[in-house]
Amino acid sequence: MAEERLLHPDGKLKGHLTPSLLAVALITSFGSSMLYGYNLAVVNSPAEYIKAFYNHTWVIRNNTSPSKDSLILMYSLTVSVFAIGGLIGSLLVGTLVTRLGRKGTLVNSTLLVFASGLLMGFSRICSSPEMVIIGRLITGIHSGISLSVVPMYLGEIAPKNLRGFLSLIPSIFICIGVFVAQVLGLHELLGKEEHWPLFLSLIVVPTFIQLLLLPWFPESPRYLLIDKSNIHATVTALKWYRTKCNIQEEIEEMQEEQRSLSSLDSVSVLHLFLDKSVRWQLLSIIVINMGMQLSGIDAIWFYTNAIFENAGIPKPQIQYTTVGTGAIEVIAGLIGCFTIEKLGRRPLMIGGFSFMGMCCAGITLSLILQTRVAIMRYVSVVCVVGIIAGFCIGPAGVPFLMTAELFTQSHRPAAYTIGGSLNWISNFTVGFVFPFLQMSAGAFCYLVFCGICVAVAVYVFFVIPETKNKTFVEISNMFATDESSYLIPPAVHNNCEAVKMKKYNGYGTLESGSLEFDSSLSYP
């Protein structure tokens, strides 16, 4: 066992990437997170076929053709209702994870995917556009739930030195989902008119695999101990996810958090907004979650084909070029995942948003000059690829990880509800406002996104501390003030013998040795 007792510079035991940890990260990301990326891109390729189906159904029902505006409205509703479903799902997260647990929520929410897959798969046979729209709404609800719950689950089961790595695996699978939808949408595969219902309903396959495998894995140990006070189940879960020598230290840390939160129930969204002790954490997740969507990435995804067409790429080749950008997304996501534990959260966020801002400014410049300088058309393509790569390296996944890290167990569900809701509202806002912004500001519309990216990078630089290799209690105490701290009740502050304080990298934190721990729970 000596080779397992690797130490961090702070002298604490280093957690290992066990097969069970990796397996649960891959299963949850494959069966849940990937569907979000897939559903973002799946409607792009069969757009004309779906419109033709709507037109045909309208003619059969009304004996007349729909107006062009009506047809566009129906298709726009099909696309945007996914974001509305996502908002609904994100509002349910706090209640679901508190009642069903993290894993329990993911397992039970698979029913939504099967329902939506059946609706969309049989929509053409039933001649019902409504089934497509309702199916997209339901799968949006599932994505709204899983987009928050998967990072929360992985962040809680991971040892602190692997929390960033495991929590970014879902963002890689989101990129993979986009890439898979782009590949399957090629004309040589499912990009034909007769295949679009199958194309939309393939989401049931990864979810079915997740439903077969995920129930065999334990619930989050932190949820079992802190929320359910089930020490037996906690030890069993930790034995699944850890090497045995790490169990005692981690239970001590969780008991420390449980003791500090003993007088608190799960905090509601309203109470989280009113709690002054977490105002900087709350402001931080608002900034980074809104910034993630308002950075302009959705506008780039929506209008990639038009930018490539303006750059002179032949129309038959645009679909293959788009697939190439999907491959770059996956590579960039892998780079972020494998460097986050070395570089930290802050460099990926600051670097990603800054690089996106530079590329947004580059698109503006290239669009202004492309009529005078021919090469500028290709500069715009490079800038599009740069925005996508910068986004996937950091801003695509780190905000979800930081939402988990900046809050303790009692505040985390409400924090994810707020962060997820703002994420989907911002997503919908960009999709709705961007066409009007483009019409009014022309090429200068991308400067708006440039300003937002730079502002978020500056905020992260000055306000958000590095959270790499720190426990949830240590991170929360980094934000705590002398006036108020929800982690350390006043009664404990006044009892010097009950709880001792020590310095951790310049910040006050609880000394684990001052809290009781049942030594019978340790394992060799």
Side-chain angles (χ1 to χ4, degrees):
M1 296 293 289
E3 69 273 11
E4 291 183 353
R5 300 185 68 83
L6 300 176
L7 297 179
H8 275 303
D10 62 2
K12 295 186 178 181
L13 287 170
K14 178 180 180 181
H16 292 268
L17 182 61
T18 59
S20 55
L21 268 177
L22 183 60
V24 77
L26 294 176
I27 291 168
T28 54
S29 300
F30 177 72
S32 295
S33 301
M34 190 173 75
L35 302 189
Y36 169 68
Y38 185 86
N39 282 299
L40 281 178
V42 72
V43 291
N44 292 336
S45 175
E48 296 305 318
Y49 304 139
I50 295 174
K51 291 177 184 177
F53 166 66
Y54 288 175
N55 183 75
H56 177 70
T57 306
W58 186 291
V59 170
I60 292 177
R61 291 181 179 181
N62 303 296
N63 294 320
T64 182
S65 297
S67 65
K68 185 178 180 180
D69 290 341
S70 299
L71 199 58
I72 292 175
L73 179 62
M74 290 177 67
Y75 180 73
S76 298
L77 180 61
T78 304
V79 174
S80 60
V81 77
F82 177 70
I84 297 173
L87 175 60
I88 295 171
S90 66
L91 293 173
L92 299 174
V93 166
T95 301
L96 291 175
V97 297
T98 301
R99 293 183 179 179
L100 303 177
R102 282 59 167 156
K103 186 199 77 172
T105 299
L106 292 175
V107 171
N108 284 279
S109 65
T110 56
L111 297 175
L112 296 171
V113 180
F114 294 127
S116 63
L118 287 172
L119 286 169
M120 294 186 291
F122 289 98
S123 58
R124 187 171 62 179
I125 295 176
C126 299
S127 298
S128 174
E130 295 84 0
M131 291 174 67
V132 180
I133 296 172
I134 295 173
R136 288 278 294 173
L137 174 67
I138 295 174
T139 196
I141 295 174
H142 174 265
S143 290
I145 294 171
S146 63
L147 205 61
S148 293
V149 178
V150 172
M152 186 191 303
Y153 182 35
L154 298 183
E156 290 185 4
I157 68 173
K160 63 183 180 181
N161 64 298
L162 294 175
R163 198 164 57 226
F165 171 77
L166 288 179
S167 296
L168 282 198
I169 289 179
S171 67
I172 294 175
F173 274 85
I174 291 173
C175 297
I176 291 174
V178 172
F179 181 63
V180 169
Q182 291 168 340
V183 171
L184 293 179
L186 295 174
H187 187 72
E188 294 83 353
L189 297 175
L190 297 181
K192 299 182 177 68
E193 184 171 7
E194 62 270 22
H195 294 324
W196 70 261
L198 173 63
F199 191 21
L200 295 183
S201 62
L202 276 181
I203 54 176
V204 300
V205 175
T207 303
F208 178 70
I209 295 173
Q210 175 182 279
L211 185 59
L212 288 178
L213 299 177
L214 187 57
W216 297 96
F217 289 84
E219 181 57 82
S220 161
R222 305 189 75 86
Y223 172 78
L224 292 172
L225 180 62
I226 299 175
D227 289 313
K228 295 300 182 181
S229 299
N230 190 336
I231 189 67
H232 257 329
T234 302
V235 172
T236 302
L238 282 174
K239 289 174 69 175
W240 266 78
Y241 293 129
R242 300 284 186 275
T243 52
K244 291 183 180 179
C245 63
N246 291 335
I247 292 177
Q248 178 173 338
E249 180 183 349
E250 193 154 1
I251 291 182
E252 285 179 333
E253 184 265 316
M254 284 190 284
Q255 285 186 324
E256 176 182 310
E257 185 175 345
Q258 184 186 38
R259 179 75 62 88
S260 65
L261 299 174
S262 59
S263 61
L264 294 175
D265 295 322
S266 291
V267 173
S268 67
V269 171
L270 177 60
H271 287 154
L272 185 58
F273 273 109
L274 297 177
D275 190 346
K276 294 181 179 180
S277 67
V278 292
R279 58 184 179 273
W280 282 108
Q281 293 99 308
L282 180 59
L283 180 60
S284 295
I285 67 162
I286 289 173
V287 169
I288 61 179
N289 278 281
M290 292 186 68
M292 178 170 59
Q293 296 297 340
L294 298 179
S295 64
I297 186 64
D298 289 319
I300 295 298
W301 274 333
F302 294 156
Y303 294 94
T304 298
N305 287 2
I307 294 174
F308 287 162
E309 189 173 349
N310 291 335
I313 297 175
K315 198 167 185 177
Q317 303 300 319
I318 288 179
Q319 62 174 341
Y320 302 106
T321 308
T322 303
V323 169
T325 63
I328 292 171
E329 290 177 37
V330 176
I331 294 171
L334 287 170
I335 292 173
C337 185
F338 284 101
T339 59
I340 187 170
E341 294 300 352
K342 292 184 178 180
L343 298 178
R345 285 68 161 147
R346 279 166 45 87
L348 292 184
M349 289 282 284
I350 295 170
F353 276 113
S354 298
F355 189 67
M356 291 177 71
M358 291 171 54
C359 291
C360 285
I363 287 182
T364 299
L365 182 64
S366 63
L367 291 177
I368 293 173
L369 299 178
Q370 70 179 8
T371 56
R372 303 175 186 176
V373 183
I375 196 174
M376 283 296 172
R377 294 185 303 173
Y378 302 100
V379 171
S380 63
V381 174
V382 173
C383 289
V384 167
V385 173
I387 290 173
I388 293 173
F391 179 76
C392 293
I393 285 176
V398 177
F400 296 109
L401 166 62
M402 297 194 78
T403 302
E405 290 186 327
L406 298 186
F407 294 89
T408 51
Q409 198 81 1
S410 60
H411 291 63
R412 195 171 296 129
Y416 266 104
T417 298
I418 294 171
S421 301
L422 291 174
N423 194 299
W424 286 100
I425 291 172
S426 301
N427 183 315
F428 182 81
T429 300
V430 171
F432 183 78
V433 171
F434 180 73
F436 301 99
L437 183 63
Q438 193 177 38
M439 283 189 293
S440 60
F444 295 99
C445 67
Y446 292 98
L447 291 181
V448 175
F449 301 130
C450 173
I452 292 173
C453 289
V454 172
V456 175
V458 170
Y459 179 89
V460 174
F461 181 82
F462 284 105
V463 176
I464 300 181
E466 181 55 65
T467 57
K468 182 180 68 171
N469 291 334
K470 291 181 173 60
T471 67
F472 294 118
V473 173
E474 289 167 350
I475 293 167
S476 294
N477 277 326
M478 292 166 69
F479 283 93
T481 64
D482 293 333
E483 291 78 20
S484 63
S485 171
Y486 71 91
L487 281 170
I488 308 171
V492 177
H493 272 297
N494 297 330
N495 191 347
C496 297
E497 294 182 358
V499 177
K500 299 176 183 178
M501 298 297 292
K502 66 178 182 178
K503 296 297 271 187
Y504 183 91
N505 289 348
Y507 298 94
T509 187
L510 292 170
E511 186 174 32
S512 59
S514 64
L515 296 174
E516 296 178 359
F517 173 70
D518 186 354
S519 59
S520 65
L521 296 174
S522 62
Y523 291 84

